[in-house]
Amino acid sequence: MTHPNDPTLRSFIGVDPASDFPIQNLPYGVFSAKDGLAPRVGVAIGDHVLDLWQLEQDGRLDVGELGVFAAPMLNPFMALGPKVWARIRARISELLRHDNPELRDDAGLRLRALVPTADVKLHLPIAVAGYTDFYSSKEHATNVGTMFRDKTNPLLPNWLHIPIGYNGRSSTVVVSGTKVRRPRGQLKPPNVEVPSFGPCKRLDFELEMGVVIGQPSPMGEMLTEQQAEEMIFGFVLLNDWSARDIQQWEYVPLGPFQAKAFATSISPWIVTREALQPFRVHGPAQHPTPLPYLRQAAANNYDMVLDVDLRTAQMNEPQNICRTNFKYMYWSSVQQLVHHASSGCAMNVGDLLGSGTISGPDKHERGSLLEISWNGSEPIELPGGEKRTFLEDGDSLVMRGWCQGEGYRIGFGEVEGTIVAAE
Ligand code: MN
């Protein structure tokens, strides 16, 4: 049987070459439709959602366990493991092929199982078990270190040895389209003596990828590179909203707390690790050589274009403010996961790992406003004469990402968030 990643595959459903969701992608999400049924599991194909629960009801898809696709989250499916993920993806691909009459010629089933994306509501695709955020782009860490530390020695001594991270909040991970209320917090600019409490004045985004963990690891056990790889179910776009002024005052000595806890937005479709296989590349050379437990042999980075658009309340069209690539990451997602479990920390199905802000070497590849506006000193000029250093109420931020194949793309859709006033 042809592999679901084969670039020559075609679906009987017409898919535009510029679409994020050709038959080679098949990302998983949770949706509800106008039928009034509860949110359940679906797969994006072109501008339709394929209802996996309907296929299961019709006897076309057998996951081996009841209720998995009727769940309002992907956790029960992910828990079944990589062999089941591969088998089900291959079966969905088979059902959608242009030369397979099973679904193509069954008008009744097509009507039940294929829903136009315009008619669905997309939900948070996983119950987030735990959320951890890393700091793994050397360009980002260098930019931040140059601004706040030392131009000649911007990286802290541990940075080249450890994938730096902190434990974030799973309670405020939200799906694309959820409005983000401007956070409140303690503010103490360097020029005042005592802190005050009020709305954040330096609200920022961070362009990141989120890794969705689909398999658990036991407390007390370390992971090999291959074990970590096989625990990764897929990836989403992730916006790690950040309150820079709150962060500046609170982060010493334990790291970010409230500055990052008020909202984290993710895209609704989880693109599987398997669909991204053709786009794997080696990451940057690592010097000094990491400690043995962190060494990697495989190509664990991905050649993936990432885009950020900003639209203020006054603008009709969004303006692109960043275009970068996931391949630049110094520490790979596999190394982050190996490190995460290295103390004996247990990982759970539904854990979410933020890659850390993804910046590249060029100025237009900076993945946060902190870097784009160089800590507020270089405002962005927007069409219509507006300027931005940090986000204002009414601003909408959209992130997109895709891997470009020959005549098709494996895309993520988008993650959008609009800022609303603190009170
Ligand atoms: Mn972050």
Side-chain angles (χ1 to χ4, degrees):
M1 199 170 80
T2 321
H3 192 274
N5 288 352
D6 189 315
T8 64
L9 283 181
R10 280 187 297 122
S11 175
F12 63 84
I13 297 167
V15 179
D16 191 286
S19 169
D20 280 342
F21 309 124
I23 192 170
Q24 290 83 3
N25 192 345
L26 307 177
Y28 291 93
V30 169
F31 76 101
S32 53
K34 290 171 178 168
D35 52 26
L37 294 173
R40 56 201 183 273
V41 174
V43 157
I45 175 77
D47 49 16
H48 283 77
V49 177
L50 182 65
D51 186 333
L52 300 192
W53 177 76
Q54 289 284 4
L55 292 178
E56 191 181 35
Q57 294 294 301
D58 204 69
R60 307 289 174 154
L61 196 60
D62 181 14
V63 77
E65 203 171 299
L66 281 177
V68 166
F69 296 132
M73 62 188 81
L74 277 150
N75 301 49
F77 176 59
M78 295 194 296
L80 298 175
K83 289 204 177 76
V84 175
W85 307 341
R87 180 170 66 78
I88 292 299
R89 182 165 179 268
R91 175 62 181 146
I92 293 166
S93 171
E94 186 183 42
L95 281 167
L96 288 169
R97 278 172 211 185
H98 75 285
D99 54 359
N100 181 354
E102 269 187 90
L103 176 58
R104 187 192 66 195
D105 296 349
D106 187 335
L109 181 59
R110 277 180 68 159
L111 200 62
R112 290 195 300 281
L114 281 164
V115 191
T117 309
D119 294 342
V120 308
K121 179 175 160 52
L122 295 170
H123 302 265
L124 192 67
I126 54 171
V128 183
Y131 167 50
T132 306
D133 192 34
F134 285 89
Y135 186 62
S136 289
S137 154
K138 193 175 177 184
E139 289 83 2
H140 172 68
T142 301
N143 285 337
V144 174
T146 302
M147 272 183 262
F148 295 109
R149 254 170 53 81
D150 179 358
K151 279 185 193 53
T152 58
N153 193 20
L155 294 178
L156 286 159
N158 57 8
W159 199 92
L160 292 167
H161 298 276
I162 308 179
I164 300 292
Y166 65 93
N167 288 301
R169 289 293 301 175
S170 57
S171 58
T172 26
V173 176
V174 295
V175 74
S176 175
T178 308
K179 293 210 180 335
V180 173
R181 185 166 294 279
R182 179 175 296 275
R184 298 159 294 261
Q186 281 204 22
L187 311 171
K188 198 200 84 64
N191 57 342
V192 302
E193 284 295 308
V194 290
S196 59
F197 187 86
C200 157
K201 293 186 178 70
R202 292 159 70 86
L203 183 55
D204 201 354
F205 72 88
E206 289 188 341
L207 168 63
E208 304 194 17
M209 292 305 296
V211 178
V212 177
I213 304 301
Q215 288 285 281
S217 71
M219 184 174 169
E221 288 189 20
M222 294 182 70
L223 298 171
T224 65
E225 178 186 8
Q226 197 192 334
Q227 286 169 331
E229 163 86 22
E230 286 171 1
M231 286 167 63
I232 296 174
F233 178 71
F235 293 80
V236 290
L237 297 161
L238 185 148
N239 184 346
D240 178 30
W241 302 98
S242 298
R244 298 300 179 197
D245 40 8
I246 298 171
Q247 186 178 357
Q248 184 188 22
W249 170 235
E250 75 174 4
Y251 87 104
V252 184
L254 287 184
F257 184 44
Q258 294 300 290
K260 305 271 194 173
F262 59 95
T264 305
S265 300
I266 64 170
S267 53
W269 295 111
I270 306 174
V271 175
T272 61
R273 176 168 54 82
E274 187 179 284
L276 296 171
Q277 286 291 329
F279 306 97
R280 289 175 72 146
V281 291
H282 283 278
Q286 297 185 311
H287 300 295
T289 304
L291 290 170
Y293 81 102
L294 279 173
R295 285 178 201 162
Q296 54 182 3
N300 289 329
N301 282 32
Y302 295 91
D303 183 1
M304 182 192 299
V305 179
L306 297 167
D307 230 19
V308 184
D309 284 357
L310 172 65
R311 190 168 59 81
T312 72
Q314 314 300 321
M315 289 162 67
N316 294 318
E317 298 288 323
Q319 165 91 357
N320 181 268
I321 57 170
C322 166
R323 173 168 284 198
T324 185
N325 197 302
F326 192 35
K327 71 183 176 189
Y328 294 134
M329 296 308 279
Y330 188 85
W331 296 106
S332 71
S333 306
V334 167
Q335 287 177 312
Q336 291 174 339
L337 182 51
V338 165
H339 182 66
H340 206 321
S342 63
S343 64
C345 173
M347 303 304 296
N348 286 319
V349 175
D351 279 343
L352 179 68
L353 311 187
S355 61
T357 308
I358 303 160
S359 293
D362 290 339
K363 212 170 173 181
H364 200 71
E365 295 178 318
R366 295 171 176 174
S368 67
L369 280 171
L370 178 70
E371 295 162 272
I372 295 169
S373 77
W374 209 252
N375 195 26
S377 67
E378 298 172 20
I380 314 179
E381 314 243 353
L382 296 167
E386 287 180 283
K387 289 183 181 179
R388 283 291 181 278
T389 49
F390 293 95
L391 296 167
E392 309 269 333
D393 296 342
D395 287 357
S396 162
L397 201 94
V398 175
M399 296 172 177
R400 291 188 185 82
W402 65 91
C403 298
Q404 188 64 53
E406 290 281 338
Y408 71 100
R409 60 164 56 167
I410 303 297
F412 286 78
E414 63 176 46
V415 55
E416 190 272 347
T418 299
I419 307 301
V420 296
E423 292 294 5

